[in-house]
Amino acid sequence: MTSSPLLHLPGAVQAEGRDEGVAAHYGELYGEQRALGDGRGFVDLSHRGVVTVSGPERLSWLHLLLTQHLTELPAGQATEALILSANGHIEHALYLVDDGETTWAHVEPGTQAELIAYLESMKFFYRVEVADRTGEFAVVHLPAGSIAEVAGGHAVRETAHGRDVFLPRTALEDFAAAHGPAAGLLAYEALRVEAHRPRLGLETDHRTIPHELGWIGTAVHLQKGCYRGQETVARVHNLGKPPRRLVFLHLDGSEVLLPAHGTPVRLAADGGEGRQLGFVTTAVRHHELGPIALALVKRNVPVDAPLLAGNTAAAQEVVVAP
């Protein structure tokens, strides 16, 4: 793990756990959220893995391995895709853009080595080259509505939630000076939870399938086959329902502590000793909504039932329909 040079910015407090190496905040948690919501500033995501695939057959080859339709992906168009196990469980999430010569992807911190090992094992006779570019390139995020100009020559993923820019690591400090104020991971995560966007390793566990998180359509293309785990995707989509579903929680604001990842979720009517029906995946403090969270619960939990996240009262909103 390489620490970002932007941890030297005034007020920077390093994130912990999976996000170690970049700033959790710069001393103004709610101010940083408001800035991002207004389309100002940027987020340092330089701890994320960066992987590239080059070669004339890169898109057709990736199309065979990933859940997304990629054979005709236009240059500059952002997309996202998953790699599944043979049983359809989510193993990797890739956030992709092709620049016409190279496909760029950023992935969860520390997952790039395992991802590359899998991709290398599937190369066979395809004319592709896979590379770990994490040591050379860093990802920075410009929020939706940002009018900041990005110098040409950089791969950029533009989505409804903002732009992810693949910068040379040597350019990070100059970028920060030109595009501040800097916002930390806590602000970025608060807006992610507000938008109901899942994150690998938080909203997923070893048995999560894409349908449970709303990744069908955004990261999984249903009109293609020929990828590992496709049979499970098609069977659940055509014949059944996923066993669990992602929900959005409004948490009781009187509690001092947020429920940690993995905190049991139960029916409020059953109390703190009731049967566990799911778990909290990400809990954050939002500058307007107060404490909020995402959780993964059993599909048959009534959508209007008051819940408990640990000992914290929670009202749910549907993200994935039962």
Side-chain angles (χ1 to χ4, degrees), residues 4-310:
S4 171
L6 303 189
L7 285 172
H8 298 301
L9 292 178
V13 175
Q14 185 169 192
E16 299 178 347
R18 69 179 56 240
D19 291 322
E20 185 180 0
V22 296
H25 62 85
Y26 297 89
E28 296 287 343
L29 175 59
Y30 291 146
E32 292 165 30
Q33 285 186 37
R34 284 190 288 269
L36 292 180
D38 291 340
R40 296 183 289 112
F42 73 97
V43 183
D44 178 10
L45 300 179
S46 62
H47 62 317
R48 292 184 64 81
V50 175
V51 176
T52 60
V53 181
S54 56
E57 297 177 319
R58 66 190 181 281
L59 291 177
S60 58
W61 177 69
L62 288 169
H63 180 85
L64 296 174
L65 303 178
L66 307 184
T67 57
Q68 188 58 268
H69 198 296
L70 295 172
T71 54
E72 300 171 2
L73 182 68
Q77 180 174 309
T79 192
E80 55 190 62
L82 308 174
I83 290 178
L84 307 180
S85 72
N87 293 321
H89 301 138
I90 300 168
E91 293 187 344
H92 293 280
L94 296 82
Y95 298 85
L96 300 154
V97 68
D98 192 88
D99 65 9
E101 296 181 354
T102 300
T103 302
W104 295 77
H106 66 81
V107 299
E108 284 297 318
T111 65
Q112 63 269 23
E114 183 181 353
L115 169 63
I116 289 171
Y118 171 69
L119 294 177
E120 288 285 353
S121 74
M122 302 300 291
K123 281 175 64 174
F124 303 113
F125 299 106
Y126 284 91
R127 293 177 294 165
V128 295
E129 294 296 331
V130 181
D132 182 352
R133 309 296 294 278
T134 310
E136 305 165 68
F137 287 89
V139 180
V140 291
H141 174 78
L142 293 167
S146 171
I147 60 173
E149 295 185 2
V150 177
H154 302 312
V156 179
R157 295 185 68 253
E158 184 164 3
T159 73
H161 305 289
R163 287 175 286 167
D164 298 335
V165 184
F166 295 84
L167 283 179
R169 286 193 173 270
T170 54
L172 266 174
E173 291 179 282
D174 288 343
F175 184 92
H179 297 90
L185 257 293
L186 292 178
Y188 180 83
E189 286 288 279
L191 300 187
R192 178 183 71 80
V193 171
E194 179 191 15
H196 307 163
R197 292 188 289 131
R199 182 176 173 188
L200 183 77
L202 290 176
E203 278 63 57
T204 67
D205 59 17
H206 67 282
R207 57 192 179 96
T208 306
I209 61 175
H211 315 66
E212 297 177 324
L213 303 184
W215 254 332
I216 300 296
T218 59
V220 178
H221 196 288
L222 291 173
Q223 274 68 57
K224 62 156 285 188
C226 301
Y227 60 88
R228 191 173 67 178
Q230 187 267 340
E231 296 84 357
T232 297
V233 169
R235 184 171 63 250
V236 173
H237 180 75
N238 293 322
L239 301 176
K241 296 283 188 178
R244 301 178 296 181
R245 60 185 179 88
L246 190 67
V247 297
F248 178 79
L249 301 179
H250 291 273
L251 302 173
D252 180 1
S254 65
E255 296 290 340
V256 175
L257 298 177
L258 290 171
H261 172 78
T263 297
V265 172
R266 300 177 171 89
L267 291 176
D270 294 342
E273 301 302 318
R275 183 166 62 97
Q276 181 173 343
L277 301 174
F279 64 94
V280 173
T281 60
T282 309
V284 297
R285 298 191 187 278
H286 191 277
H287 70 288
E288 291 181 338
L289 300 176
I292 56 177
L294 295 173
L296 201 57
V297 301
K298 292 182 180 295
R299 178 172 57 86
N300 59 3
V301 172
V303 297
D304 57 351
L307 302 176
L308 282 177

